Amino acid sequence: MTCRSVILATGSYLPEKILTNKDIEKLVDTTDDWIVQRTGIRERHIAAPGQATSDMAIQAARRALEASGLTPNDIDGVIVATTTPDRSFPSVAVCVQAALGLRAGPAFDVQAVCSGFVYALSVADSFLRTGVMKRVLVIGAEKMSSLLNWEDRTTCVLFGDGAGAVILEAQTESDSGILSTHLYADGKFRDLLYTDGGTSTTGTSGHIIMHGKEVFKNAVTLMSEIVQEVLDKNTITSDQIDWLVPHQANLRIIAGTAEKLNMSMEKVVVTVDKHGNTSAASIPLALDTAVRDGRIQRGQTLLLEALGGGLTWAAALIKY
Ligand code: UT7
């Protein structure tokens, strides 16, 4: 029988502090109206100064582990998608491994910015289907606030912090699981969205610089193309998708993808209004939100899609 990577449980964490658009009006020349109209964002969570990405990842992982009913000893490995690690090294994944008391096994970070969680899912899926691991913890965790220039209104209004996690298990007797993953990057677009610093250049992490309009145009086109590829590869039609769980960067991009799929917004999980863009954390945060509030049910088909700096873009079709 085919071996599939099944989502056993989800978990997520958002920092306590909420920064509203009104709060940001006091920092830069912007308005609540502009932010809502252009992005759909109303508020975002911001990590406390001493709170690192691993602290959020650990909380999300604990909640996923609790929901799964498993013990730390049942988990074989940890993959964390992040662009904002605590330190250049070691990885956030080893911090999670130590905090949860997991036994020795593979633990590493994946960096594909906003597409990172789907990339990490795909890597985990390969490990599970080839028998390298039986159960793996996959996390998306970001402290994007640490990459923001709080004087740049074109970026500081967009991002937030948080973490989401899933536990995947290799199963041969289930028709649920990851049905396909689709990963892309095109480095010729690397200067559309980047940080103006880094370990081997400035020795600092730098701040986010984004050519928003160009990223927006590419996002609309590339998301339309990749969702079509997912449908074709799986020989399904969009009416067979129960939930679109997109990367949460901009409500207009999300609505454009839903329109391309002929899907009503009622079948789209939207968290961008409350979370802002949390990069690699946005999809697992959205997934956990909709699982816990009962919208996403076992047996339903989920389409995940994301685009981020690189440019990278990715999608996954999952039977939950
Ligand atoms: O997660 C990774 C992927 N990222 C994305 O997918 C983001 C993609 N891009 C976007 O979401 C949008 O391009 C933005 C939300 C970033 C910007 O929206 P836009 O409709 O593309 O606006 P714009 O950049 O063309 O700016 C329009 C105007 C400009 O003024 P002028 O030149 O027309 O006078 C900006 O200076 O809005 C101005 N502006 C602002 N005004 C008030 C830019 N930022 C702000 C702001 N508040 N925060």
Side-chain angles (χ1 to χ4, degrees):
M1 257 191 103
T2 323
C3 180
R4 289 226 178 98
S5 310
V6 176
I7 298 180
L8 289 185
T10 64
S12 64
Y13 172 81
L14 289 160
E16 249 170 61
K17 183 180 171 183
I18 294 174
L19 194 70
T20 65
N21 291 348
K22 284 275 171 216
D23 296 330
I24 297 190
E25 282 181 2
K26 292 175 204 140
L27 304 176
V28 288
D29 179 18
T30 192
T31 60
D32 175 48
D33 252 13
W34 190 95
I35 303 171
V36 173
Q37 294 304 322
R38 303 282 174 136
T39 71
I41 299 167
R42 293 178 186 275
E43 58 188 39
R44 69 289 288 143
H45 291 248
I46 301 291
Q51 196 172 27
T53 296
S54 68
D55 296 320
M56 296 186 279
I58 289 161
Q59 297 283 357
R62 281 214 171 99
R63 287 172 188 177
L65 197 61
E66 263 169 40
S68 72
L70 297 170
T71 67
N73 211 34
D74 297 322
I75 307 294
D76 300 321
V78 187
I79 306 175
V80 178
T82 190
T83 312
T84 49
D86 305 16
R87 296 182 275 194
S88 296
F89 74 89
S91 65
V92 173
V94 299
C95 301
V96 174
Q97 191 191 35
L100 265 64
L102 307 184
R103 60 193 158 75
F108 57 93
D109 293 354
V110 164
Q111 208 274 55
V113 208
C114 301
S115 310
F117 182 74
V118 183
Y119 266 66
L121 266 188
S122 182
V123 173
D125 183 41
S126 303
F127 277 133
L128 294 173
R129 283 189 296 105
T130 52
V132 176
M133 293 191 259
K134 170 83 175 143
R135 287 187 209 93
V136 57
L137 182 57
V138 182
I139 303 169
E142 301 276 20
K143 186 174 175 178
M144 296 307 281
S145 60
S146 62
L147 289 179
L148 294 175
N149 170 359
W150 288 99
E151 292 176 359
D152 176 7
R153 69 174 183 172
T154 68
T155 52
C156 77
V157 303
L158 302 174
F159 294 90
D161 303 332
V166 300
I167 295 173
L168 293 175
E169 180 179 71
Q171 291 185 5
T172 46
E173 305 289 317
S174 174
D175 66 345
S176 294
I178 297 177
L179 303 177
S180 70
T181 59
H182 309 251
L183 308 183
Y184 290 98
D186 190 342
K188 75 169 178 281
F189 296 121
R190 68 193 178 284
D191 292 331
L192 292 185
L193 176 51
Y194 60 97
T195 59
D196 61 359
T199 318
S200 68
T201 50
T202 58
T204 61
S205 56
H207 293 128
I208 296 175
I209 312 282
M210 176 159 71
H211 300 283
K213 246 193 173 43
E214 290 307 307
V215 176
F216 187 98
K217 276 193 262 174
N218 279 292
V220 170
T221 312
L222 295 170
M223 290 304 93
S224 288
E225 284 175 15
I226 205 167
V227 295
Q228 191 57 51
E229 180 185 313
V230 174
L231 298 181
D232 294 346
K233 168 93 192 287
N234 292 279
T235 50
I236 58 164
T237 49
S238 58
D239 57 339
Q240 291 171 267
I241 295 166
D242 295 296
W243 292 103
L244 179 65
V245 189
H247 170 50
Q248 310 280 325
N250 187 314
L251 190 56
R252 291 187 289 147
I253 299 172
I254 295 172
T257 310
E259 198 182 316
K260 162 81 187 170
L261 284 165
N262 238 329
M263 281 176 86
S264 122
M265 284 304 281
E266 274 156 30
K267 293 171 84 180
V268 183
V269 181
V270 174
T271 50
V272 70
D273 53 334
K274 295 223 175 308
H275 301 173
N277 180 349
T278 57
S279 183
S282 93
I283 290 180
L285 267 164
L287 188 63
D288 185 54
T289 302
V291 164
R292 283 178 193 251
D293 68 20
R295 274 179 289 171
I296 293 180
Q297 296 285 325
R298 288 288 171 191
Q300 290 186 328
T301 302
L302 319 178
L303 175 53
L304 281 46
E305 45 88 354
L307 174 132
L311 294 178
T312 57
W313 63 105
L317 190 73
I318 300 173
K319 190 153 187 206
Y320 178 66

